Amino acid sequence: MGKYIIKGGNKLNGEVFISGAKNSVLPILASTVLNSGICILKNVPMLLDTFVAIDILKDLGCEVSYSENLVVVNSKNINNTNVKEELVKKMRSSIIFLGSILSRCKEASISYPGGCNLGKRPIDFHLSAFEKLGIKIEDNEELIKASVENIKENIIELPFASVGATQNIILASIFVNGKVIIKNCAKEPEIIDMVKFLRKMGANIYGEGTHTITIKGVKRLNKVVEYTIMPDRIEAGTFLCMSAITNGNIKVNNIVPKHLNSLIEILNKIGCNIKIYKNSITIQNKNVLKPIDFLETNPYPYFPTDLQPQIMALLATIDGISIIKENIFEARNKHIPELNKLGCNIVEDNNVFIINGVNKLVGKNVVAKDLRGGASLIIAGLVAKGKTIVDGACYINRGYENIERKLNILGADIKYIKD
Ligand code: EPZ
């Protein structure tokens, strides 16, 4: 599993350079299956999840090579349409390969991705949309087998602006005979990034970033495409919270500031002084930070669920009561008992978290149960007295590239111990 050992008490100062976005590179790697040519991807974060997606591509018959943050995918020959169970178990978001394999090969199978520590994580929106596209689904709750003659044009209204379902429907619709319209789709920047990549490949899609996306079918995609992955807004937001909790003064580079508007609004409200530049943000605390009366997570452009554990750790050290309501996942709360072990005072009631700020945390052994929850434990460890040992580092390494190096450059005292 691996662990991070953090010695608390250091202020963060200096500059950090943000990596490419995990939640953009995964759907873009899945999209390469649609191209019979070659895709050259730059600014790829070399994360555990990236390597799982690369293993899936190789298992499907693609040739994949990579060095540093460059990945080249030659998907000329796809000779397998079944996504290996051991890979699906490692990364539940591999479900979005279903749409691209189906588009290219007219059949696909994948074991049920199952839930994770955020809750059940069902895929009913994906499967019911696929059926509306004329895709035949056999689903025995263990394995999903899908096949289609030709994707049927249709208008699909999503019950919830699901990121994964939006991505999967787009991927399944690229070669439709006619057009597919997705209503109430997700508007996340990662959706826009995937669509821009697909458009470079020759796909005909418009409306990304709005609640309605239209895909007009094309015959085939066979190009050499070069694309640079967008910056990771969640990694950037994590570092902003790290600076604020240590009363630091940092500059976050290689970002798209507008992707962080909802977090910037909150940080300004609690008393941080944030300056925005073209591709970077600086942050330092103006004075003693104030609690936030009420904050809730919602789909983009509202406050992202993927920054809920991180802002919680920050608010837990600010005198006064802050309240967060988690609207996206039914169980994004596994970090709370671990934060309380460090001295936080957080109570929860049916996805409403009441945070009673304390002015002192003490280092302890804690366990990361998921990616962003793990990040929140590192954040708390940065100010906890003494040593904090965060077990379950493998979760954190799924979504943060070189977090130990980046934090040490900013003046933190953190070590990664591989088990
Ligand atoms: C993506 O997950 C992200 N993962 C998540 O980031 C992120 O938290 C989430 O979007 C919301 O922004 C990747 O992009 C790889 P959803 P996804 O479908 O697509 C329910 C991280 O930490 N739902 O928008 O799985 C679902 O249970 C990860 O980087 C259904 O009920 O999220 C959840 O409650 C965590 N049925 C809500 O919708 C479905 O068929 C939002 O899920 C699909 C989803």
Side-chain angles (χ1 to χ4, degrees), residues 22-23 26 92-93 118 120-126 160-165 167 188 233 305-306 328-330 332 371-372:
K22 167 182 88 82
N23 291 349
L26 298 179
R92 62 169 314 286
S93 54
L118 304 181
K120 285 200 299 292
R121 306 289 293 272
I123 55 171
D124 51 327
F125 302 161
H126 301 238
F160 176 84
S162 156
V163 171
Q167 292 165 340
E188 271 68 5
R233 61 191 171 105
T305 175
D306 289 350
I328 305 292
F329 289 109
E330 67 200 0
R332 189 162 220 164
L371 163 56
R372 308 301 173 184

PDB file of all heavy atoms in Angstrom, residues 22-23 26 92-93 118 120-126 160-165 167 188 233 305-306 328-330 332 371-372, ligand 1:
ATOM      1  N   LYS A  22      -5.875  13.946 -14.354  1.00  0.00           N
ATOM      2  CA  LYS A  22      -6.214  12.504 -14.321  1.00  0.00           C
ATOM      3  C   LYS A  22      -7.587  12.281 -14.969  1.00  0.00           C
ATOM      4  O   LYS A  22      -7.750  11.395 -15.797  1.00  0.00           O
ATOM      5  CB  LYS A  22      -6.264  12.013 -12.879  1.00  0.00           C
ATOM      6  CG  LYS A  22      -6.911  10.640 -12.713  1.00  0.00           C
ATOM      7  CD  LYS A  22      -6.999  10.172 -11.286  1.00  0.00           C
ATOM      8  CE  LYS A  22      -8.243  10.612 -10.581  1.00  0.00           C
ATOM      9  NZ  LYS A  22      -9.439   9.786 -10.836  1.00  0.00           N
ATOM     10  N   ASN A  23      -8.558  13.100 -14.610  1.00  0.00           N
ATOM     11  CA  ASN A  23      -9.932  12.858 -15.068  1.00  0.00           C
ATOM     12  C   ASN A  23     -10.186  13.310 -16.499  1.00  0.00           C
ATOM     13  O   ASN A  23     -11.295  13.167 -17.007  1.00  0.00           O
ATOM     14  CB  ASN A  23     -10.933  13.486 -14.098  1.00  0.00           C
ATOM     15  CG  ASN A  23     -10.931  12.742 -12.780  1.00  0.00           C
ATOM     16  OD1 ASN A  23     -10.346  11.666 -12.659  1.00  0.00           O
ATOM     17  ND2 ASN A  23     -11.560  13.316 -11.768  1.00  0.00           N
ATOM     18  N   LEU A  26      -7.901   9.958 -18.660  1.00  0.00           N
ATOM     19  CA  LEU A  26      -8.537   8.631 -18.706  1.00  0.00           C
ATOM     20  C   LEU A  26      -9.558   8.547 -19.845  1.00  0.00           C
ATOM     21  O   LEU A  26      -9.462   7.641 -20.687  1.00  0.00           O
ATOM     22  CB  LEU A  26      -9.152   8.286 -17.350  1.00  0.00           C
ATOM     23  CG  LEU A  26      -8.143   8.186 -16.200  1.00  0.00           C
ATOM     24  CD1 LEU A  26      -8.840   7.861 -14.880  1.00  0.00           C
ATOM     25  CD2 LEU A  26      -7.034   7.190 -16.476  1.00  0.00           C
ATOM     26  N   ARG A  92     -12.422   1.636 -11.529  1.00  0.00           N
ATOM     27  CA  ARG A  92     -13.821   1.476 -11.897  1.00  0.00           C
ATOM     28  C   ARG A  92     -14.213   2.366 -13.077  1.00  0.00           C
ATOM     29  O   ARG A  92     -15.129   2.074 -13.818  1.00  0.00           O
ATOM     30  CB  ARG A  92     -14.746   1.719 -10.720  1.00  0.00           C
ATOM     31  CG  ARG A  92     -14.672   3.111 -10.136  1.00  0.00           C
ATOM     32  CD  ARG A  92     -15.786   3.332  -9.187  1.00  0.00           C
ATOM     33  NE  ARG A  92     -17.049   2.890  -9.721  1.00  0.00           N
ATOM     34  CZ  ARG A  92     -17.744   3.529 -10.663  1.00  0.00           C
ATOM     35  NH1 ARG A  92     -17.257   4.628 -11.177  1.00  0.00           N
ATOM     36  NH2 ARG A  92     -18.896   3.061 -11.094  1.00  0.00           N
ATOM     37  N   SER A  93     -13.442   3.438 -13.287  1.00  0.00           N
ATOM     38  CA  SER A  93     -13.827   4.342 -14.399  1.00  0.00           C
ATOM     39  C   SER A  93     -13.460   3.715 -15.745  1.00  0.00           C
ATOM     40  O   SER A  93     -13.651   4.314 -16.786  1.00  0.00           O
ATOM     41  CB  SER A  93     -13.141   5.680 -14.239  1.00  0.00           C
ATOM     42  OG  SER A  93     -11.759   5.478 -14.126  1.00  0.00           O
ATOM     43  N   LEU A 118     -16.647   5.396  -2.156  1.00  0.00           N
ATOM     44  CA  LEU A 118     -17.489   6.603  -2.193  1.00  0.00           C
ATOM     45  C   LEU A 118     -18.954   6.215  -2.232  1.00  0.00           C
ATOM     46  O   LEU A 118     -19.837   7.060  -2.194  1.00  0.00           O
ATOM     47  CB  LEU A 118     -17.144   7.446  -3.442  1.00  0.00           C
ATOM     48  CG  LEU A 118     -15.679   7.861  -3.580  1.00  0.00           C
ATOM     49  CD1 LEU A 118     -15.490   8.707  -4.833  1.00  0.00           C
ATOM     50  CD2 LEU A 118     -15.199   8.606  -2.358  1.00  0.00           C
ATOM     51  N   LYS A 120     -22.001   3.131  -3.852  1.00  0.00           N
ATOM     52  CA  LYS A 120     -22.326   2.055  -4.796  1.00  0.00           C
ATOM     53  C   LYS A 120     -21.741   2.306  -6.191  1.00  0.00           C
ATOM     54  O   LYS A 120     -21.286   1.414  -6.869  1.00  0.00           O
ATOM     55  CB  LYS A 120     -23.844   1.884  -4.911  1.00  0.00           C
ATOM     56  CG  LYS A 120     -24.488   1.192  -3.721  1.00  0.00           C
ATOM     57  CD  LYS A 120     -25.853   0.603  -4.025  1.00  0.00           C
ATOM     58  CE  LYS A 120     -26.871   1.674  -4.449  1.00  0.00           C
ATOM     59  NZ  LYS A 120     -27.234   2.600  -3.357  1.00  0.00           N
ATOM     60  N   ARG A 121     -21.747   3.501  -6.642  1.00  0.00           N
ATOM     61  CA  ARG A 121     -21.246   3.888  -7.984  1.00  0.00           C
ATOM     62  C   ARG A 121     -21.941   3.080  -9.087  1.00  0.00           C
ATOM     63  O   ARG A 121     -21.335   2.347  -9.818  1.00  0.00           O
ATOM     64  CB  ARG A 121     -19.720   3.728  -8.081  1.00  0.00           C
ATOM     65  CG  ARG A 121     -18.886   4.428  -7.030  1.00  0.00           C
ATOM     66  CD  ARG A 121     -18.851   5.923  -7.138  1.00  0.00           C
ATOM     67  NE  ARG A 121     -18.190   6.470  -8.294  1.00  0.00           N
ATOM     68  CZ  ARG A 121     -16.880   6.755  -8.374  1.00  0.00           C
ATOM     69  NH1 ARG A 121     -16.103   6.445  -7.375  1.00  0.00           N
ATOM     70  NH2 ARG A 121     -16.360   7.305  -9.447  1.00  0.00           N
ATOM     71  N   PRO A 122     -23.260   3.124  -9.165  1.00  0.00           N
ATOM     72  CA  PRO A 122     -23.975   2.350 -10.207  1.00  0.00           C
ATOM     73  C   PRO A 122     -23.647   2.857 -11.614  1.00  0.00           C
ATOM     74  O   PRO A 122     -23.056   3.935 -11.765  1.00  0.00           O
ATOM     75  CB  PRO A 122     -25.442   2.590  -9.874  1.00  0.00           C
ATOM     76  CG  PRO A 122     -25.469   3.827  -9.077  1.00  0.00           C
ATOM     77  CD  PRO A 122     -24.173   3.927  -8.356  1.00  0.00           C
ATOM     78  N   ILE A 123     -24.028   2.083 -12.617  1.00  0.00           N
ATOM     79  CA  ILE A 123     -23.809   2.502 -14.014  1.00  0.00           C
ATOM     80  C   ILE A 123     -25.118   2.447 -14.806  1.00  0.00           C
ATOM     81  O   ILE A 123     -25.109   2.293 -16.032  1.00  0.00           O
ATOM     82  CB  ILE A 123     -22.716   1.632 -14.685  1.00  0.00           C
ATOM     83  CG1 ILE A 123     -23.063   0.137 -14.582  1.00  0.00           C
ATOM     84  CG2 ILE A 123     -21.339   1.926 -14.117  1.00  0.00           C
ATOM     85  CD1 ILE A 123     -22.163  -0.758 -15.397  1.00  0.00           C
ATOM     86  N   ASP A 124     -26.219   2.589 -14.089  1.00  0.00           N
ATOM     87  CA  ASP A 124     -27.526   2.484 -14.753  1.00  0.00           C
ATOM     88  C   ASP A 124     -27.733   3.559 -15.809  1.00  0.00           C
ATOM     89  O   ASP A 124     -28.316   3.300 -16.867  1.00  0.00           O
ATOM     90  CB  ASP A 124     -28.654   2.513 -13.713  1.00  0.00           C
ATOM     91  CG  ASP A 124     -28.528   3.700 -12.753  1.00  0.00           C
ATOM     92  OD1 ASP A 124     -27.391   4.099 -12.444  1.00  0.00           O
ATOM     93  OD2 ASP A 124     -29.548   4.254 -12.339  1.00  0.00           O
ATOM     94  N   PHE A 125     -27.202   4.766 -15.584  1.00  0.00           N
ATOM     95  CA  PHE A 125     -27.381   5.833 -16.597  1.00  0.00           C
ATOM     96  C   PHE A 125     -26.663   5.431 -17.900  1.00  0.00           C
ATOM     97  O   PHE A 125     -27.153   5.656 -19.003  1.00  0.00           O
ATOM     98  CB  PHE A 125     -26.789   7.157 -16.116  1.00  0.00           C
ATOM     99  CG  PHE A 125     -27.327   7.690 -14.825  1.00  0.00           C
ATOM    100  CD1 PHE A 125     -26.610   8.630 -14.107  1.00  0.00           C
ATOM    101  CD2 PHE A 125     -28.547   7.258 -14.320  1.00  0.00           C
ATOM    102  CE1 PHE A 125     -27.103   9.142 -12.888  1.00  0.00           C
ATOM    103  CE2 PHE A 125     -29.051   7.751 -13.115  1.00  0.00           C
ATOM    104  CZ  PHE A 125     -28.317   8.692 -12.404  1.00  0.00           C
ATOM    105  N   HIS A 126     -25.468   4.809 -17.738  1.00  0.00           N
ATOM    106  CA  HIS A 126     -24.715   4.393 -18.929  1.00  0.00           C
ATOM    107  C   HIS A 126     -25.524   3.357 -19.714  1.00  0.00           C
ATOM    108  O   HIS A 126     -25.725   3.493 -20.927  1.00  0.00           O
ATOM    109  CB  HIS A 126     -23.384   3.738 -18.527  1.00  0.00           C
ATOM    110  CG  HIS A 126     -22.444   4.592 -17.723  1.00  0.00           C
ATOM    111  ND1 HIS A 126     -21.171   4.902 -18.116  1.00  0.00           N
ATOM    112  CD2 HIS A 126     -22.584   5.160 -16.498  1.00  0.00           C
ATOM    113  CE1 HIS A 126     -20.565   5.653 -17.202  1.00  0.00           C
ATOM    114  NE2 HIS A 126     -21.401   5.810 -16.205  1.00  0.00           N
ATOM    115  N   PHE A 160     -29.256  12.637 -14.346  1.00  0.00           N
ATOM    116  CA  PHE A 160     -28.323  13.441 -13.541  1.00  0.00           C
ATOM    117  C   PHE A 160     -27.124  13.749 -14.443  1.00  0.00           C
ATOM    118  O   PHE A 160     -26.760  12.944 -15.294  1.00  0.00           O
ATOM    119  CB  PHE A 160     -27.872  12.638 -12.308  1.00  0.00           C
ATOM    120  CG  PHE A 160     -26.841  13.358 -11.475  1.00  0.00           C
ATOM    121  CD1 PHE A 160     -27.226  14.291 -10.525  1.00  0.00           C
ATOM    122  CD2 PHE A 160     -25.484  13.135 -11.690  1.00  0.00           C
ATOM    123  CE1 PHE A 160     -26.278  14.980  -9.786  1.00  0.00           C
ATOM    124  CE2 PHE A 160     -24.537  13.819 -10.947  1.00  0.00           C
ATOM    125  CZ  PHE A 160     -24.928  14.744  -9.998  1.00  0.00           C
ATOM    126  N   ALA A 161     -26.503  14.892 -14.274  1.00  0.00           N
ATOM    127  CA  ALA A 161     -25.392  15.297 -15.157  1.00  0.00           C
ATOM    128  C   ALA A 161     -24.148  14.465 -14.833  1.00  0.00           C
ATOM    129  O   ALA A 161     -23.136  14.975 -14.342  1.00  0.00           O
ATOM    130  CB  ALA A 161     -25.107  16.779 -14.978  1.00  0.00           C
ATOM    131  N   SER A 162     -24.235  13.186 -15.110  1.00  0.00           N
ATOM    132  CA  SER A 162     -23.141  12.247 -14.807  1.00  0.00           C
ATOM    133  C   SER A 162     -21.971  12.430 -15.765  1.00  0.00           C
ATOM    134  O   SER A 162     -22.136  12.389 -16.990  1.00  0.00           O
ATOM    135  CB  SER A 162     -23.673  10.803 -14.934  1.00  0.00           C
ATOM    136  OG  SER A 162     -22.617   9.906 -15.201  1.00  0.00           O
ATOM    137  N   VAL A 163     -20.771  12.615 -15.208  1.00  0.00           N
ATOM    138  CA  VAL A 163     -19.560  12.802 -16.022  1.00  0.00           C
ATOM    139  C   VAL A 163     -19.296  11.548 -16.851  1.00  0.00           C
ATOM    140  O   VAL A 163     -19.174  11.605 -18.086  1.00  0.00           O
ATOM    141  CB  VAL A 163     -18.359  13.127 -15.120  1.00  0.00           C
ATOM    142  CG1 VAL A 163     -17.049  13.121 -15.888  1.00  0.00           C
ATOM    143  CG2 VAL A 163     -18.562  14.466 -14.420  1.00  0.00           C
ATOM    144  N   GLY A 164     -19.220  10.410 -16.204  1.00  0.00           N
ATOM    145  CA  GLY A 164     -18.882   9.162 -16.900  1.00  0.00           C
ATOM    146  C   GLY A 164     -19.920   8.776 -17.934  1.00  0.00           C
ATOM    147  O   GLY A 164     -19.574   8.352 -19.048  1.00  0.00           O
ATOM    148  N   ALA A 165     -21.184   8.945 -17.586  1.00  0.00           N
ATOM    149  CA  ALA A 165     -22.242   8.570 -18.539  1.00  0.00           C
ATOM    150  C   ALA A 165     -22.182   9.486 -19.763  1.00  0.00           C
ATOM    151  O   ALA A 165     -22.296   9.022 -20.906  1.00  0.00           O
ATOM    152  CB  ALA A 165     -23.607   8.656 -17.869  1.00  0.00           C
ATOM    153  N   GLN A 167     -19.533  10.947 -20.984  1.00  0.00           N
ATOM    154  CA  GLN A 167     -18.363  10.515 -21.770  1.00  0.00           C
ATOM    155  C   GLN A 167     -18.661   9.232 -22.542  1.00  0.00           C
ATOM    156  O   GLN A 167     -18.364   9.110 -23.739  1.00  0.00           O
ATOM    157  CB  GLN A 167     -17.154  10.310 -20.841  1.00  0.00           C
ATOM    158  CG  GLN A 167     -16.638  11.612 -20.239  1.00  0.00           C
ATOM    159  CD  GLN A 167     -15.713  11.403 -19.059  1.00  0.00           C
ATOM    160  OE1 GLN A 167     -15.699  10.342 -18.416  1.00  0.00           O
ATOM    161  NE2 GLN A 167     -14.934  12.423 -18.728  1.00  0.00           N
ATOM    162  N   GLU A 188     -18.381  19.488 -17.082  1.00  0.00           N
ATOM    163  CA  GLU A 188     -17.030  19.574 -16.506  1.00  0.00           C
ATOM    164  C   GLU A 188     -15.978  19.915 -17.572  1.00  0.00           C
ATOM    165  O   GLU A 188     -16.099  19.473 -18.724  1.00  0.00           O
ATOM    166  CB  GLU A 188     -16.679  18.257 -15.815  1.00  0.00           C
ATOM    167  CG  GLU A 188     -17.070  18.161 -14.354  1.00  0.00           C
ATOM    168  CD  GLU A 188     -18.576  18.114 -14.086  1.00  0.00           C
ATOM    169  OE1 GLU A 188     -19.356  18.069 -15.059  1.00  0.00           O
ATOM    170  OE2 GLU A 188     -18.969  18.126 -12.917  1.00  0.00           O
ATOM    171  N   ARG A 233      -7.278  20.497 -12.377  1.00  0.00           N
ATOM    172  CA  ARG A 233      -7.853  21.531 -11.503  1.00  0.00           C
ATOM    173  C   ARG A 233      -7.988  21.037 -10.064  1.00  0.00           C
ATOM    174  O   ARG A 233      -7.935  21.812  -9.114  1.00  0.00           O
ATOM    175  CB  ARG A 233      -9.214  21.995 -12.033  1.00  0.00           C
ATOM    176  CG  ARG A 233     -10.248  20.887 -12.115  1.00  0.00           C
ATOM    177  CD  ARG A 233     -11.481  21.339 -12.891  1.00  0.00           C
ATOM    178  NE  ARG A 233     -12.352  20.198 -13.127  1.00  0.00           N
ATOM    179  CZ  ARG A 233     -13.489  19.973 -12.460  1.00  0.00           C
ATOM    180  NH1 ARG A 233     -13.907  20.828 -11.555  1.00  0.00           N
ATOM    181  NH2 ARG A 233     -14.220  18.903 -12.701  1.00  0.00           N
ATOM    182  N   THR A 305     -17.130  17.957  -5.844  1.00  0.00           N
ATOM    183  CA  THR A 305     -17.031  16.940  -4.800  1.00  0.00           C
ATOM    184  C   THR A 305     -15.579  16.488  -4.607  1.00  0.00           C
ATOM    185  O   THR A 305     -15.184  16.130  -3.491  1.00  0.00           O
ATOM    186  CB  THR A 305     -17.907  15.713  -5.143  1.00  0.00           C
ATOM    187  OG1 THR A 305     -17.713  14.705  -4.176  1.00  0.00           O
ATOM    188  CG2 THR A 305     -17.598  15.157  -6.525  1.00  0.00           C
ATOM    189  N   ASP A 306     -14.772  16.568  -5.672  1.00  0.00           N
ATOM    190  CA  ASP A 306     -13.387  16.092  -5.571  1.00  0.00           C
ATOM    191  C   ASP A 306     -12.494  16.998  -4.741  1.00  0.00           C
ATOM    192  O   ASP A 306     -11.334  16.655  -4.501  1.00  0.00           O
ATOM    193  CB  ASP A 306     -12.780  15.927  -6.966  1.00  0.00           C
ATOM    194  CG  ASP A 306     -13.377  14.752  -7.705  1.00  0.00           C
ATOM    195  OD1 ASP A 306     -14.112  13.983  -7.055  1.00  0.00           O
ATOM    196  OD2 ASP A 306     -13.138  14.618  -8.912  1.00  0.00           O
ATOM    197  N   ILE A 328     -23.081  14.787  -4.192  1.00  0.00           N
ATOM    198  CA  ILE A 328     -22.776  13.924  -5.342  1.00  0.00           C
ATOM    199  C   ILE A 328     -22.666  12.454  -4.955  1.00  0.00           C
ATOM    200  O   ILE A 328     -23.300  11.595  -5.559  1.00  0.00           O
ATOM    201  CB  ILE A 328     -21.470  14.380  -6.050  1.00  0.00           C
ATOM    202  CG1 ILE A 328     -21.548  15.851  -6.441  1.00  0.00           C
ATOM    203  CG2 ILE A 328     -21.153  13.489  -7.242  1.00  0.00           C
ATOM    204  CD1 ILE A 328     -22.562  16.173  -7.540  1.00  0.00           C
ATOM    205  N   PHE A 329     -21.855  12.149  -3.966  1.00  0.00           N
ATOM    206  CA  PHE A 329     -21.660  10.740  -3.578  1.00  0.00           C
ATOM    207  C   PHE A 329     -22.313  10.444  -2.238  1.00  0.00           C
ATOM    208  O   PHE A 329     -22.283  11.269  -1.324  1.00  0.00           O
ATOM    209  CB  PHE A 329     -20.161  10.404  -3.520  1.00  0.00           C
ATOM    210  CG  PHE A 329     -19.515  10.341  -4.877  1.00  0.00           C
ATOM    211  CD1 PHE A 329     -18.632  11.327  -5.292  1.00  0.00           C
ATOM    212  CD2 PHE A 329     -19.826   9.316  -5.755  1.00  0.00           C
ATOM    213  CE1 PHE A 329     -18.071  11.288  -6.553  1.00  0.00           C
ATOM    214  CE2 PHE A 329     -19.251   9.260  -7.019  1.00  0.00           C
ATOM    215  CZ  PHE A 329     -18.376  10.251  -7.420  1.00  0.00           C
ATOM    216  N   GLU A 330     -22.875   9.231  -2.154  1.00  0.00           N
ATOM    217  CA  GLU A 330     -23.605   8.868  -0.921  1.00  0.00           C
ATOM    218  C   GLU A 330     -22.674   8.581   0.251  1.00  0.00           C
ATOM    219  O   GLU A 330     -23.091   8.578   1.397  1.00  0.00           O
ATOM    220  CB  GLU A 330     -24.457   7.631  -1.188  1.00  0.00           C
ATOM    221  CG  GLU A 330     -23.606   6.417  -1.451  1.00  0.00           C
ATOM    222  CD  GLU A 330     -24.353   5.310  -2.187  1.00  0.00           C
ATOM    223  OE1 GLU A 330     -25.528   5.497  -2.490  1.00  0.00           O
ATOM    224  OE2 GLU A 330     -23.727   4.272  -2.427  1.00  0.00           O
ATOM    225  N   ARG A 332     -19.019   9.801   0.590  1.00  0.00           N
ATOM    226  CA  ARG A 332     -17.683  10.443   0.507  1.00  0.00           C
ATOM    227  C   ARG A 332     -17.376  11.020   1.884  1.00  0.00           C
ATOM    228  O   ARG A 332     -17.279  12.202   2.101  1.00  0.00           O
ATOM    229  CB  ARG A 332     -17.667  11.513  -0.572  1.00  0.00           C
ATOM    230  CG  ARG A 332     -16.265  12.020  -0.821  1.00  0.00           C
ATOM    231  CD  ARG A 332     -16.121  12.747  -2.136  1.00  0.00           C
ATOM    232  NE  ARG A 332     -14.852  12.404  -2.770  1.00  0.00           N
ATOM    233  CZ  ARG A 332     -14.546  12.625  -4.033  1.00  0.00           C
ATOM    234  NH1 ARG A 332     -15.430  13.196  -4.832  1.00  0.00           N
ATOM    235  NH2 ARG A 332     -13.367  12.269  -4.515  1.00  0.00           N
ATOM    236  N   LEU A 371      -8.849   8.251  -2.806  1.00  0.00           N
ATOM    237  CA  LEU A 371      -7.874   9.207  -3.320  1.00  0.00           C
ATOM    238  C   LEU A 371      -7.944  10.580  -2.662  1.00  0.00           C
ATOM    239  O   LEU A 371      -6.974  11.067  -2.066  1.00  0.00           O
ATOM    240  CB  LEU A 371      -8.094   9.324  -4.834  1.00  0.00           C
ATOM    241  CG  LEU A 371      -7.521  10.508  -5.587  1.00  0.00           C
ATOM    242  CD1 LEU A 371      -6.033  10.623  -5.384  1.00  0.00           C
ATOM    243  CD2 LEU A 371      -7.862  10.397  -7.070  1.00  0.00           C
ATOM    244  N   ARG A 372      -9.083  11.232  -2.683  1.00  0.00           N
ATOM    245  CA  ARG A 372      -9.164  12.613  -2.193  1.00  0.00           C
ATOM    246  C   ARG A 372      -9.215  12.647  -0.667  1.00  0.00           C
ATOM    247  O   ARG A 372      -8.741  13.587  -0.054  1.00  0.00           O
ATOM    248  CB  ARG A 372     -10.380  13.336  -2.785  1.00  0.00           C
ATOM    249  CG  ARG A 372     -10.478  13.261  -4.292  1.00  0.00           C
ATOM    250  CD  ARG A 372      -9.289  13.846  -5.031  1.00  0.00           C
ATOM    251  NE  ARG A 372      -9.396  13.578  -6.457  1.00  0.00           N
ATOM    252  CZ  ARG A 372      -8.489  13.888  -7.357  1.00  0.00           C
ATOM    253  NH1 ARG A 372      -7.375  14.436  -6.962  1.00  0.00           N
ATOM    254  NH2 ARG A 372      -8.626  13.603  -8.629  1.00  0.00           N
TER     255      ARG A 372
HETATM  256  C1  EPZ B   1     -16.147  11.272 -12.317  1.00  0.00           C
HETATM  257  O1  EPZ B   1     -16.640  10.066 -11.754  1.00  0.00           O
HETATM  258  C2  EPZ B   1     -14.767  11.462 -11.715  1.00  0.00           C
HETATM  259  N1  EPZ B   1     -13.900  10.337 -12.079  1.00  0.00           N
HETATM  260  C3  EPZ B   1     -14.867  11.547 -10.193  1.00  0.00           C
HETATM  261  O2  EPZ B   1     -13.554  11.812  -9.690  1.00  0.00           O
HETATM  262  C4  EPZ B   1     -15.771  12.721  -9.831  1.00  0.00           C
HETATM  263  O3  EPZ B   1     -15.932  12.769  -8.431  1.00  0.00           O
HETATM  264  C5  EPZ B   1     -17.146  12.537 -10.501  1.00  0.00           C
HETATM  265  O4  EPZ B   1     -16.974  12.396 -11.929  1.00  0.00           O
HETATM  266  C6  EPZ B   1     -18.063  13.713 -10.238  1.00  0.00           C
HETATM  267  O5  EPZ B   1     -17.465  14.886 -10.711  1.00  0.00           O
HETATM  268  C7  EPZ B   1     -13.314  10.345 -13.299  1.00  0.00           C
HETATM  269  O6  EPZ B   1     -13.503  11.241 -14.102  1.00  0.00           O
HETATM  270  C8  EPZ B   1     -12.409   9.199 -13.604  1.00  0.00           C
HETATM  271  P1  EPZ B   1     -20.586  10.620 -12.050  1.00  0.00           P
HETATM  272  P2  EPZ B   1     -18.019   9.411 -12.348  1.00  0.00           P
HETATM  273  O7  EPZ B   1     -21.037   9.613 -13.039  1.00  0.00           O
HETATM  274  O8  EPZ B   1     -18.105   9.644 -13.791  1.00  0.00           O
HETATM  275  C9  EPZ B   1     -24.221   8.577  -9.709  1.00  0.00           C
HETATM  276  C10 EPZ B   1     -11.684  11.508  -8.311  1.00  0.00           C
HETATM  277  O9  EPZ B   1     -11.500  11.601  -7.087  1.00  0.00           O
HETATM  278  N2  EPZ B   1     -24.387   7.724 -10.903  1.00  0.00           N
HETATM  279  O10 EPZ B   1     -20.652  12.066 -12.396  1.00  0.00           O
HETATM  280  O11 EPZ B   1     -18.105   8.024 -11.836  1.00  0.00           O
HETATM  281  C11 EPZ B   1     -22.927   8.248  -8.974  1.00  0.00           C
HETATM  282  O12 EPZ B   1     -23.111   7.156  -8.096  1.00  0.00           O
HETATM  283  C12 EPZ B   1     -12.938  10.831  -8.837  1.00  0.00           C
HETATM  284  O13 EPZ B   1     -10.885  11.946  -9.184  1.00  0.00           O
HETATM  285  C13 EPZ B   1     -25.498   6.884 -10.966  1.00  0.00           C
HETATM  286  O14 EPZ B   1     -26.312   6.828 -10.049  1.00  0.00           O
HETATM  287  O15 EPZ B   1     -19.093  10.303 -11.585  1.00  0.00           O
HETATM  288  C14 EPZ B   1     -22.641   9.530  -8.232  1.00  0.00           C
HETATM  289  O16 EPZ B   1     -23.421   9.556  -7.054  1.00  0.00           O
HETATM  290  C15 EPZ B   1     -13.845  10.346  -7.722  1.00  0.00           C
HETATM  291  N3  EPZ B   1     -25.651   6.092 -12.069  1.00  0.00           N
HETATM  292  C16 EPZ B   1     -23.146  10.609  -9.199  1.00  0.00           C
HETATM  293  O17 EPZ B   1     -24.032   9.939 -10.118  1.00  0.00           O
HETATM  294  C17 EPZ B   1     -24.755   6.122 -13.117  1.00  0.00           C
HETATM  295  O18 EPZ B   1     -24.962   5.399 -14.108  1.00  0.00           O
HETATM  296  C18 EPZ B   1     -22.035  11.294  -9.989  1.00  0.00           C
HETATM  297  O19 EPZ B   1     -21.354  10.318 -10.674  1.00  0.00           O
HETATM  298  C19 EPZ B   1     -23.634   6.983 -13.024  1.00  0.00           C
HETATM  299  C20 EPZ B   1     -23.468   7.784 -11.909  1.00  0.00           C
END
